[in-house]
Amino acid sequence: MKAAVLQAPGAPENLIIKEIAAPTIQDTEVLVKVKAVSINPVDVKTRSGKALYGQLKTENPVIVGWDMAGEVTDIGKDVKQFKPGDAVFGMVNFPGHGKAYAEYVAAPESHLALKPANITYQEAAATTLAALTAWQVLVHLANIKSGHKVFIQAAAGGVGHYAVQIAKHFGAYTIGTASVTNADFLKEIGLDEHIDYTKEDFTEQAEDVDIFFDTLGVDSVAKAISVVKNNGQIISILGGCNEDNNEKAAAANIKTTNYLVQSSGEDMKQLAQLLAAGHLKAHVSQQFDFENIADAHRQVETGKTRGKVVLNLP
Ligand SMILES: NC(=O)c1ccc[n+]([C@@H]2O[C@H](COP(=O)([O-])OP(=O)(O)OC[C@H]3O[C@@H](n4cnc5c(N)ncnc54)[C@H](OP(=O)(O)O)[C@@H]3O)[C@@H](O)[C@H]2O)c1
């Protein structure tokens, strides 16, 4: 099969498409013929030698990628939920070696859900790591409720655009940051209040926030403390809750948590239900052919992607 093998950590050109043996499956895994893969900032960081590279390099070859959608071609003997021919999607083995940049992926059945019939493989591949992050943060950690005021940093990005839709689905009021180029897009996906971070300081615009969803890191969390209400919470997916911020937040009776997304078929099923019902929609802003994977990485590396970037497999 064809796979994008990371020759050495570094530039996007280090992802080389090669013929390698297809993976073999364990008893609890399914073999998936991949149709589409989505790219995340963690893919870019790992490819350049950061994030999960240290873990991945212990196995040869290193194949980056976690988000995929495709068709089941074989199942292990203990697999209960899927059969050959099923269309599935999921985030495979995160945080671990997902090996999704390949024509075939061996995926634990516990990381997958059936793809809803009303969405494409591209939309399905896009609704994995970023959507799971938004779901796990808002639902499992923050215990989001109707009427909550939710502040989402980078609301037009992969995680952000799902966070806005999920928060709205739960009946929350949403405030989000993005540049003015994303103002109309954010309105379309249901954001209540847009703050153009290039012109405005959110600490002067927002107050009484119940859930602050940080995607930017330490400086963002430091500022968030002044807009979150007593008994509110800040959850960072970029390590923004450091010791200093945690101390200041605790003094204001604000709970702080750093979070790393985890593979979960159960959560994928919840996302599948929202997608099937039309309550959640992936915005795939750009698609690339598999052989142009380096261009897809360059796009995600800009930090300016709207929604998601997807690769199409042959
Ligand atoms: N811990 C975890 O489990 C986890 C999971 C997923 C992601 N992450 C991390 O979270 C971050 C966001 O991920 P993502 O997939 O959403 O990234 P992404 O899709 O690349 O985000 C792109 C978006 O960021 C916006 N943006 C850039 N700078 C901004 C700023 N200063 N203020 C507000 N918006 C800004 C851009 O909007 P404009 O073009 O309008 O500027 C763009 O739409 C990444 O660092 C990623 O590695 C962590």
Side-chain angles (χ1 to χ4, degrees):
M1 68 162 186
K2 285 192 169 59
V5 172
L6 182 63
Q7 295 289 85
E13 297 75 33
N14 292 13
L15 294 162
I16 307 286
I17 300 198
K18 282 187 171 176
E19 274 299 324
I20 63 167
T24 51
I25 47 170
Q26 308 290 315
D27 293 346
T28 54
E29 290 181 335
V30 303
L31 189 65
V32 181
K33 170 92 173 72
V34 178
K35 307 264 194 193
V37 163
S38 97
I39 316 273
N40 294 288
V42 70
D43 301 31
V44 168
K45 294 171 194 175
T46 300
R47 183 261 298 151
S48 69
K50 295 179 272 203
L52 296 173
Y53 180 74
Q55 192 181 334
L56 267 54
K57 75 174 183 193
T58 60
E59 274 181 71
N60 195 14
V62 175
I63 302 173
V64 184
W66 290 271
D67 288 354
M68 61 92 216
E71 194 178 299
V72 174
T73 58
D74 196 8
I75 61 169
K77 73 175 175 53
D78 296 335
V79 167
K80 304 267 183 302
Q81 305 171 61
F82 306 108
K83 59 182 187 317
D86 282 347
V88 294
F89 68 133
M91 175 183 78
V92 181
N93 291 327
F94 192 91
H97 206 161
K99 305 184 189 178
Y101 294 173
E103 279 183 287
Y104 287 89
V105 168
E109 74 164 331
S110 61
H111 295 176
L112 304 177
L114 288 171
K115 177 183 86 62
N118 62 324
I119 65 164
T120 63
Y121 279 108
Q122 288 73 25
E123 289 169 320
T127 317
T128 45
L129 186 148
L132 281 171
T133 305
W135 179 266
Q136 291 174 2
V137 164
L138 291 172
V139 178
H140 297 317
L141 269 84
N143 196 18
I144 188 169
K145 296 268 184 294
S146 180
H148 271 160
K149 194 188 265 193
V150 180
F151 191 108
I152 300 157
Q153 284 282 43
V159 175
H161 88 297
Y162 290 120
V164 170
Q165 295 177 71
I166 291 167
K168 290 309 297 175
H169 176 67
F170 279 88
Y173 180 83
T174 51
I175 310 171
T177 56
S179 65
V180 71
T181 52
N182 281 311
D184 290 345
F185 169 63
L186 290 173
K187 207 179 232 176
E188 274 164 37
I189 63 171
L191 187 79
D192 296 297
E193 213 176 307
H194 167 226
I195 296 176
D196 176 0
Y197 69 88
T198 66
K199 295 207 176 70
E200 295 159 304
D201 183 341
F202 75 80
T203 59
E204 285 159 21
Q205 308 287 320
E207 57 182 1
D208 289 335
V209 168
D210 293 283
I211 301 167
F212 190 99
F213 194 153
D214 171 62
T215 59
L216 300 177
V218 170
D219 293 348
S220 153
V221 171
K223 289 170 81 175
I225 294 165
S226 70
V227 305
V228 174
K229 61 161 65 155
N230 184 358
N231 219 15
Q233 49 186 320
I234 301 173
I235 298 165
S236 176
I237 58 168
L238 207 60
C241 300
N242 64 4
E243 210 172 305
D244 191 33
N245 282 339
N246 290 345
E247 263 176 37
K248 288 178 181 145
N253 196 28
I254 295 166
K255 188 178 166 199
T256 45
T257 315
N258 285 323
Y259 188 67
L260 182 64
V261 65
Q262 307 287 318
S263 290
S264 165
E266 289 311 307
D267 290 339
M268 285 305 304
K269 285 177 202 160
Q270 300 288 318
L271 294 171
Q273 278 182 18
L274 292 186
L275 290 162
H279 296 314
L280 186 67
K281 195 163 168 36
H283 181 84
V284 179
S285 58
Q286 290 186 62
Q287 296 186 35
F288 295 84
D289 289 336
F290 192 39
E291 56 265 33
N292 296 327
I293 187 167
D295 289 336
H297 264 239
R298 283 186 203 101
Q299 171 55 40
V300 174
E301 206 155 24
T302 64
K304 304 297 285 178
T305 297
R306 178 182 293 169
K308 296 295 304 171
V309 168
V310 166
L311 286 177
N312 289 312
L313 276 286

